[in-house]
Amino acid sequence: MSSSPQHRNRASVLEALRHAASTFASHRALVLLLRSVKYFVAAFIILCIADAVAHFAADTRLGLILLWGGIALLLGMVGLVIACFARPKADEMAQILEKREGKLGSKLTNILELHGQAEDDQLAPLTRDLAQQAVTDATREVDTSELATIAKAPFLKRESKRAALVAVLFALLPLLLGEPGRRQFLRFLQPHGDHPPLSFTWLQISKPVYDGLEIIYGEDTRVEVSVKGHLPKEIVLTAEPVEGDGPARTIPMTTRGDGLFVAVLENIEQPLRLTALTTNERSRSKHRHLSVLLNPRIEDAWVTVTPPAYTGLPSHEKPFRFTGIQALEGSELTFRLQSNRPLGKGTLVATPTEGAPVEVPLQPEPGDKKNHALAKLVVSQSGRLHFQVRDEGNRAAEDETSSSLTVSQDLPPSLSFLSPQEDSFVVDSHEFEIEISGSDDYGLRALRILPAVAENHLSPIEETLSGIGPKRHNLKSTVRLADLGAQPGDIVTFFAEAIDNCPDPHLTRTKMRRLEVISEQQYQEFLRKQADVAQIAGAYEELLDRLNSAVQRQEELAQEMAELANAAEERELTPEEKERQEQLQQAQEQLNSELREVAQGMEEMAQQTPVYDFEERLHEQLQQIAQKIEQSVAQNEQSASPNSSPSEMAKAAAEQHDRLAQNQQQGEDEIREPLQDLAAMHELIKDINHFMALYEEQQTLAEQTARFEETTDLSSADRMSLKEMAGRQREVASALQQLQEDLKRHADAAEEDFPKAAQSARDLAEAIGDDNLPGLGRTSSQSMLRGEGSDSHSQATHLKEEMEKYLSECGSCQGSGQSELDQYLQMAMGSQPGQNFQQMMDSLCFGMGKQGGSGMGSGGSMATGIMPGQQMGLMGGRALIQGPIGRALAGGPGSQGRFGTPGTEVAKVDGTEADRGSTHSTRSTSTPESQGLLQEYQNLTEAYFRTLTQSKDESAP
């Protein structure tokens, strides 16, 4: 090939045409693609609309979007093929260029034809040369650099703008359509993504609030779905396992009426994907995922407490809340834990307060209860329990659970004396019961009482309890002093021991209980000092009152039987009347039994040793009345047998009433009236004794204040001493005031039978008032309170001197009282004077405060007040009861007496179950010790009696 200029020109034209053809093909492919953009966008929108209507499945959407993308890819490949391989030929390109650019005319076509002739070897050389020259000339006229520009697509910019606009609108369309549009676009862009289809019902899972909420294994959770738009009738919740092949659960949801649907997912054991759907599945919510926390957690726990075998207590299971547990030492604790996860091997660590920790395996419970674990521990010390739980995958609980452990000890038994309840005097002829009460928290093994007489130890009284032993047990024994060899003056001592059933036994021992033995004579002297005629009369009155009540009931029975007898004479008795007759017969039998008891009580009363000599006559009257009652009852039973007619029964009842009424009248005349008169006289004697005792107390106060007579500057101790004496002085003043009233009242009561003694009492009462002895006492008390030593002494001495003036009057009153008493006993009772007056003079039960006072304790203990803090009862002898006589002399039923509640038994020295009341049970019995108390009391009373006697003798004319 020639490299001449003509040849180069031809080559440049051909190269320009090829380059133009390439540009043309590229632009044609690009225009094709740009024009197809709107169709692809339209196709995508059509797919979205179709999906909004048909709700394509994810795979369908994936296929459609792949098809849509495939077509786009195919179109791109077609464009590439067109651009690369569908380029027009030189002559075709020349025609295209000549059509687009008119000034080219047919130059390009002519150049190509001439170029063909120039290259045709069949033509003549000249022809070819001419053709080449023509090509060269034509080429000079064509600007080959503009051919590529002319080959470009004329509408490329327009198509580009249109395609760009469509693309921008397509991109802005999700924003313009809002959430539904974005969701619909995403359904195709992410076919398997969580994009619910477009619907008129908008469902949203509002609880759990966020995705991936962690739920504890096995627990429940509440799911709430809010609805916007059209409100469906029903919504279901599907829970699909995220891991594993388990089936999905479908749960109907309940509506609350405010666009909120609720459901509860129970027993969640694996991660779940939640979806809310309408029943036609046309609407669904976005998914909500739940995660599961697989660490084990204790949901519930129980503990079985098995006490030691010696306690005899059964095992018992109870809920365990990890707030603390208490058990007896040696108990076995079996813990049963329930977890939310299947459990593996764990550990129970017991950390005692002292010593090394103890580890116990926490094993899964045998059987199909995989969520349960057991651990057994025998407790010996208090401490803390730590539960380390692991599941079957060896995952440990996030939080370690612990609890306190309190181990209690078996306490020693409790032991107390029920009888005697206190240190006491006991009459040598008395037979009494000694009883102890033992108790233990788990069981008693043995109880025993260890007696001794005058330090001679006797055989114990004991009882061994078999088996586990009772928790509470009493040991009782009857004690006869004669069998023990005890004599008056001896000290009988008892103490008791109790042993429990613990493997390492505990022993409890009481303190010593002491009984001082006294003779019957000593008892009578003791009782005269403690009691008065009014209290002695109470027992007689109680018997007479029982007889009076029986007489009244007998009268009522006689009247009812008489009515039945009259009815029986007129007609045959009705069934009701016959039944009433049987009831009356039974009532008569019951009354006869009670009458025998009254007679027996009178006989027993008559057998008691008299406290006063005049009681011998009263005992004779009681025996007579008792015999008459026995005879009357026997006669009644003989006259009115069960087969007797109504008239016979009425006659027997009336006759018995007449006999009993005579006995009743005898008792009133021969017993009650004399006792009432003697009690009134005794009150006057006691009032005189009371005045003498007050005088001695005032004399003591005068002597004790003497050391302050010359002292002007008192120390604090001196002032305290005077303050204490002020209280005693005030008590003397109050007692004098009360004594003045008592003298007048008692004088009125004794006026009829003892006029001289009554007048002497009135004179003494008037003297107390005229000389204002209570006022002098109160003035002295005020000086003592103010700490005025000199005034206190002078005023206390003045009161003592004023009282001393009337000692002679007291002796005169006693002398007239004794003569009148002797005369009364002879005339009214036919009894010899005896020692009645001296016996009445022995009484100290006038109650004058702390000094020299005495009185009756509750529950039958006769107590002395000689020594502060000491008090001893008396066992044996008779009961003292305050009856109507005592209440009348005390000022009426509401009076405050020294001897108990009006109308009740004020002293009963023979204890009974009812008298014991409630006994405090303690680990040791505490009683005051009182050796030789009786002797000290006798010395004081004898000295006091001598004072009264001397005063009487000195005042005698």
Side-chain angles (χ1 to χ4, degrees):
M1 179 179 294
S2 175
S3 58
S4 62
Q6 293 83 357
H7 182 77
R8 286 196 299 271
N9 288 336
R10 290 194 302 271
S12 63
V13 171
L14 291 176
E15 182 66 26
L17 287 175
R18 283 194 297 270
H19 182 64
S22 175
T23 300
F24 176 79
S26 298
H27 278 228
R28 185 171 62 176
L30 183 58
V31 170
L32 176 63
L33 293 177
L34 291 174
R35 287 178 177 176
S36 64
V37 167
K38 56 181 176 290
Y39 299 107
F40 276 97
V41 169
F44 188 86
I45 293 174
I46 292 172
L47 289 178
C48 290
I49 294 173
D51 179 61
V53 176
H55 292 180
F56 297 140
D59 292 339
T60 303
R61 294 196 305 276
L62 178 61
L64 291 174
I65 197 64
L66 289 177
L67 177 62
W68 180 82
I71 295 173
L73 180 60
L74 179 61
L75 184 61
M77 294 178 65
V78 170
L80 182 60
V81 170
I82 292 174
C84 296
F85 303 103
R87 296 176 181 177
K89 295 179 180 180
D91 53 348
E92 294 174 352
M93 192 64 231
Q95 294 176 2
I96 293 172
L97 292 174
E98 289 171 351
K99 289 180 179 179
R100 290 185 178 179
E101 186 62 42
K103 64 181 182 179
L104 290 175
S106 59
K107 292 179 180 179
L108 296 176
T109 303
N110 294 334
I111 290 173
L112 291 175
E113 289 178 357
L114 291 174
H115 175 71
Q117 292 176 2
E119 295 294 331
D120 189 1
D121 293 337
Q122 296 179 0
L123 296 178
L126 180 60
T127 303
R128 287 187 293 175
D129 293 337
L130 290 174
Q132 287 180 344
Q133 186 61 42
V135 169
T136 301
D137 295 337
T139 301
R140 291 190 186 101
E141 296 178 0
V142 176
D143 186 1
T144 57
S145 61
E146 293 181 357
L147 295 181
T149 302
I150 299 171
K152 293 179 179 180
F155 306 111
L156 181 60
K157 289 183 179 181
R158 185 183 63 185
E159 296 298 334
S160 296
K161 290 180 181 180
R162 288 180 179 178
L165 179 61
V166 170
V168 170
L169 291 176
F170 181 72
L172 293 177
L173 190 60
L175 299 177
L176 298 176
L177 296 178
E179 180 63 24
R182 291 192 295 274
R183 182 187 296 181
Q184 199 62 42
F185 272 48
L186 290 173
R187 282 177 59 79
F188 281 97
L189 298 179
Q190 296 177 343
H192 289 283
D194 184 17
H195 308 296
L198 189 64
S199 173
F200 292 108
T201 300
W202 183 281
L203 304 180
Q204 182 179 7
I205 298 177
S206 56
K207 188 176 181 179
V209 179
Y210 58 89
D211 207 39
L213 176 67
E214 286 190 338
I215 304 296
I216 296 175
Y217 182 94
E219 285 197 347
D220 306 337
T221 190
R222 175 187 173 98
V223 179
E224 296 180 358
V225 175
S226 58
V227 180
K228 296 180 181 178
H230 174 71
L231 186 65
K233 293 182 179 180
E234 295 180 5
I235 292 179
V236 295
L237 180 71
T238 61
E240 302 173 277
V242 177
E243 301 174 0
D245 300 328
R249 286 189 286 175
T250 301
I251 304 171
M253 304 191 74
T254 57
T255 179
R256 289 198 331 193
D258 55 353
L260 187 68
F261 287 77
V262 180
V264 176
L265 277 175
E266 299 178 349
N267 193 25
I268 301 173
E269 297 182 350
Q270 56 183 328
L272 297 176
R273 185 180 67 182
L274 307 181
T275 308
L277 302 167
T278 56
T279 52
N280 57 8
E281 298 187 2
R282 295 290 297 174
S283 302
R284 76 167 181 87
S285 68
K286 296 188 70 173
H287 301 309
R288 186 76 80 210
H289 292 83
L290 295 180
S291 300
V292 177
L293 186 63
L294 297 179
N295 297 83
R297 177 185 180 188
I298 297 176
E299 292 184 333
D300 212 343
W302 301 266
V303 59
T304 300
V305 181
T306 305
Y310 77 87
T311 64
L313 298 177
S315 301
H316 62 279
E317 185 181 62
K318 60 182 179 180
F320 183 46
R321 304 303 182 197
F322 300 96
T323 56
I325 183 171
Q326 182 174 356
L328 177 64
E329 182 182 10
S331 298
E332 182 183 67
L333 303 182
T334 302
F335 295 95
R336 182 162 60 93
L337 308 182
Q338 177 182 329
S339 175
N340 62 333
R341 296 271 299 152
L343 295 177
K345 293 183 179 181
T347 306
L348 168 60
V349 180
T351 306
T353 53
E354 297 180 0
V358 178
E359 292 189 2
V360 177
L362 190 60
Q363 301 282 6
E365 183 175 0
D368 56 352
K369 295 183 178 179
K370 297 181 179 181
N371 290 19
H372 288 223
L374 299 176
K376 294 185 178 182
L377 175 67
V378 178
V379 298
S380 58
Q381 292 188 53
S382 298
R384 195 150 191 90
L385 303 176
H386 303 272
F387 297 86
Q388 300 173 355
V389 179
R390 292 183 176 273
D391 67 0
E392 58 186 358
N394 203 31
R395 279 183 287 263
E398 290 187 348
D399 299 325
E400 183 180 287
T401 306
S402 63
S403 173
S404 62
L405 170 64
T406 303
V407 178
S408 60
Q409 306 296 321
D410 187 353
L411 298 176
S414 171
L415 185 61
S416 62
F417 272 101
L418 294 181
S419 175
Q421 294 185 1
E422 58 185 4
D423 291 353
S424 304
F425 299 112
V426 59
V427 182
D428 57 356
S429 60
H430 182 52
E431 176 183 304
F432 64 93
E433 285 186 348
I434 184 168
E435 184 177 5
I436 60 174
S437 177
S439 63
D440 187 69
D441 38 12
Y442 299 108
L444 293 167
R445 176 63 60 230
L447 293 175
R448 64 178 189 164
I449 303 171
L450 295 94
V453 178
E455 298 184 357
N456 295 323
H457 299 283
L458 306 178
S459 300
I461 305 167
E462 57 185 342
E463 181 178 1
T464 301
L465 305 170
S466 59
I468 296 174
K471 292 185 177 180
R472 182 177 296 275
H473 188 72
N474 291 359
L475 175 59
K476 181 189 300 185
S477 178
T478 301
V479 177
R480 299 175 180 85
L481 294 176
D483 295 343
L484 297 180
Q487 300 295 327
D490 288 342
I491 303 295
V492 180
T493 60
F494 298 91
F495 69 89
E497 293 178 343
I499 303 174
D500 66 7
N501 65 352
C502 182
D504 184 13
H506 304 91
L507 182 142
T508 297
R509 180 180 298 110
T510 66
K511 290 185 177 180
M512 195 75 73
R513 180 73 77 237
R514 291 176 172 82
L515 304 178
E516 185 169 343
V517 183
I518 62 174
S519 65
E520 185 71 27
Q521 182 181 358
Q522 287 176 308
Y523 164 69
Q524 297 300 329
E525 295 174 357
F526 191 94
L527 187 58
R528 282 194 290 270
K529 293 178 177 65
Q530 299 294 321
D532 57 16
V533 174
Q535 295 170 40
I536 296 298
Y540 293 93
E541 290 182 290
E542 192 267 341
L543 290 171
L544 295 178
D545 290 342
R546 290 172 62 187
L547 177 59
N548 295 344
S549 176
V551 171
Q552 183 178 358
R553 291 170 58 192
Q554 185 65 57
E555 183 180 8
E556 295 172 356
L557 287 175
Q559 291 176 355
E560 291 196 48
M561 289 181 179
E563 294 175 1
L564 281 178
N566 294 334
E569 291 177 358
E570 297 176 358
R571 53 180 171 78
E572 184 178 355
L573 297 179
T574 63
E576 291 79 7
E577 291 173 333
K578 292 180 180 180
E579 182 180 358
R580 181 57 183 162
Q581 180 183 356
E582 295 178 359
Q583 294 175 352
L584 293 175
Q585 178 66 31
Q586 294 174 0
Q588 182 64 69
E589 294 174 357
Q590 177 66 27
L591 180 57
N592 287 342
S593 176
E594 294 178 6
L595 284 168
R596 282 198 173 93
E597 292 178 0
V598 173
Q600 182 179 358
M602 291 181 175
E603 291 284 356
E604 293 176 354
M605 184 71 179
Q607 297 302 320
Q608 293 184 3
T609 303
V611 178
Y612 301 100
D613 289 347
F614 65 77
E615 285 191 86
E616 294 179 359
R617 178 61 179 167
L618 300 180
H619 289 179
E620 293 175 3
Q621 297 294 332
L622 282 178
Q623 287 180 329
Q624 293 177 11
I625 296 173
Q627 291 174 0
K628 292 178 181 179
I629 292 175
E630 290 283 358
Q631 293 172 1
S632 178
V633 170
Q635 186 175 349
N636 177 266
E637 291 177 345
Q638 184 178 4
S639 302
S641 62
N643 297 325
S644 299
S645 63
S647 60
E648 293 174 338
M649 293 175 56
K651 180 181 178 181
E655 291 175 350
Q656 170 143 301
H657 172 259
D658 294 340
R659 294 191 295 270
L660 293 177
Q662 294 176 3
N663 299 333
Q664 177 188 15
Q665 190 61 42
Q666 180 182 354
E668 295 294 324
D669 296 340
E670 303 296 335
I671 298 176
R672 192 188 296 270
E673 289 184 9
L675 283 172
Q676 185 173 355
D677 296 338
L678 292 171
M681 180 61 188
H682 199 187
E683 291 300 315
L684 291 178
I685 296 173
K686 287 166 40 182
D687 290 342
I688 300 302
N689 288 354
H690 194 181
F691 183 83
M692 299 293 291
L694 290 173
Y695 167 73
E696 290 188 357
E697 173 67 6
Q698 187 60 41
Q699 187 177 25
T700 301
L701 286 170
E703 293 173 355
Q704 291 177 345
T705 55
R707 63 191 179 94
F708 303 116
E709 183 178 10
E710 303 298 334
T711 304
T712 56
D713 188 12
L714 299 180
S715 65
S716 59
D718 293 336
R719 293 180 181 277
M720 290 178 63
S721 179
L722 277 176
K723 185 176 181 181
E724 186 275 335
M725 285 188 280
R728 292 162 53 196
Q729 182 67 81
R730 187 168 54 251
E731 288 182 2
V732 171
S734 299
L736 285 170
Q737 184 72 47
Q738 182 63 44
L739 179 60
Q740 182 183 8
E741 298 175 3
D742 291 344
L743 283 167
K744 294 177 181 179
R745 181 161 46 83
H746 295 155
D748 293 339
E751 175 71 29
E752 182 177 354
D753 296 296
F754 309 99
K756 293 181 181 180
Q759 185 59 45
S760 298
R762 287 195 184 93
D763 293 342
L764 180 58
E766 291 177 1
I768 292 174
D770 292 342
D771 291 343
N772 192 22
L773 299 186
L776 295 177
R778 289 190 289 270
T779 302
S780 176
S781 175
Q782 292 296 325
S783 297
M784 293 177 185
L785 283 175
R786 290 193 295 267
E788 299 171 354
S790 178
D791 291 345
S792 298
H793 173 66
S794 62
Q795 292 167 359
T797 302
H798 178 58
L799 176 58
K800 187 255 311 183
E801 293 172 350
E802 291 296 320
M803 294 178 68
E804 193 172 2
K805 295 178 184 179
Y806 304 110
L807 292 181
S808 60
E809 292 187 16
C810 291
S812 176
C813 181
Q814 291 170 352
S816 61
Q818 180 173 4
S819 62
E820 287 184 316
L821 176 63
D822 294 344
Q823 183 179 0
Y824 176 86
L825 291 173
Q826 290 177 347
M827 296 180 63
M829 298 182 63
S831 175
Q832 296 298 321
Q835 299 295 319
N836 288 291
F837 188 79
Q838 279 71 23
Q839 291 169 352
M840 290 183 182
M841 285 286 293
D842 290 342
S843 177
L844 299 176
C845 64
F846 41 78
M848 50 164 291
K850 296 181 180 179
Q851 297 296 322
S854 63
M856 292 292 181
S858 62
S861 64
M862 181 179 292
T864 62
I866 302 169
M867 299 179 65
Q870 281 192 324
Q871 188 175 29
M872 289 185 65
L874 177 64
M875 299 175 62
R878 65 197 297 175
L880 301 179
I881 301 174
Q882 183 159 336
I885 293 176
R887 293 196 295 274
L889 292 173
S895 300
Q896 296 295 326
R898 292 276 296 172
F899 302 95
T901 305
T904 61
E905 192 172 89
V906 295
K908 187 171 183 181
V909 293
D910 285 312
T912 63
E913 293 294 335
D915 298 323
R916 289 174 187 154
S918 60
T919 301
H920 295 287
S921 177
T922 57
R923 295 292 173 187
S924 60
T925 303
S926 177
T927 48
E929 301 185 6
S930 51
Q931 291 280 2
L933 182 59
L934 179 62
Q935 187 61 43
E936 296 179 22
Y937 186 78
Q938 288 176 335
N939 295 338
L940 180 63
T941 55
E942 288 174 2
Y944 179 59
F945 181 75
R946 285 196 300 272
T947 302
L948 296 179
T949 305
Q950 291 172 0
S951 300
K952 173 182 177 183
D953 294 341
E954 292 172 358
S955 61

